[in-house]
Amino acid sequence: MLAVSLGILLAACQPTATPASTAAEPVHAAPAAATGDTSGPPAAGAGASCPYPAFEAFLPHFGNEIALQEKSVADPLVSEYIDAAAEPEPQLVSQKIALREVTWPVMPDPAALPRQGREMDVTRQDDGSMKLLIRTPDTSDQQSYYFVQRPCWQLVRVVDESI
């Protein structure tokens, strides 16, 4: 599967806690992903310095261009995953992964998802960030990608909820 579980691949990183994102209105089932901690609203004139100021234009390129991913991922990237072996019950583990330790591609290509039997949902969060949920129906295979605009779109958090 193309889904990348950064938490499992990079288990040696230091754990850290991150705030949960807040859900907002769905945008559409087109490319988009989003949220994490933001440092306020995007800077004025963000579109002038960013090749894809609109998230809907950014996401298809981010999904299939590793060079763009390398420029558009936060350092460190927050990675969270479910530790199914934790006792007394599974728990969410959070880590900060240095950019040099990120495995590329960090996210599957949204255009390839339908051929893989996977679905994608895009939601704009209350703070203006974007959440991209990628899942395989009727399974626990589910990953969320959170993007903020600083001033260009940047992936700041990945949550793998697969068990």
Side-chain angles (χ1 to χ4, degrees):
M1 270 193 155
L2 290 177
V4 176
S5 176
L6 292 175
I8 294 171
L9 294 174
L10 302 170
C13 295
Q14 294 290 340
T16 183
T18 59
S21 61
T22 57
E25 80 276 3
V27 176
H28 49 59
T35 197
D37 56 326
T38 62
S39 55
S49 62
C50 300
Y52 309 105
F55 188 75
E56 293 74 14
F58 166 78
L59 188 60
H61 293 279
F62 181 84
N64 74 9
E65 298 172 19
I66 291 177
L68 181 58
Q69 288 185 15
E70 291 171 341
K71 295 177 188 174
S72 303
V73 171
D75 189 10
L77 174 65
V78 174
S79 175
E80 299 175 336
Y81 68 97
I82 302 291
D83 180 357
E87 293 295 332
E89 61 186 43
Q91 67 178 336
L92 186 66
V93 176
S94 182
Q95 305 170 323
K96 288 186 178 179
I97 301 172
L99 191 58
R100 68 182 177 282
E101 297 175 10
V102 171
T103 301
W104 309 104
V106 70
M107 187 186 90
D109 182 357
L113 297 175
R115 293 189 303 270
Q116 300 164 358
R118 303 191 79 203
E119 298 174 343
M120 176 177 69
D121 291 314
V122 176
T123 307
R124 180 174 302 279
Q125 305 297 288
D126 290 336
D127 62 1
S129 61
M130 300 297 287
K131 175 184 178 184
L132 173 68
L133 172 66
I134 297 176
R135 67 175 171 257
T136 302
D138 303 319
T139 71
S140 73
D141 180 23
Q142 177 170 301
Q143 297 78 37
S144 296
Y145 300 86
Y146 296 90
F147 294 82
V148 296
Q149 198 169 22
R150 312 178 163 158
C152 300
W153 288 105
Q154 185 177 57
L155 176 66
V156 296
R157 183 172 158 224
V158 176
V159 180
D160 187 345
E161 299 175 57
S162 304
I163 297 179

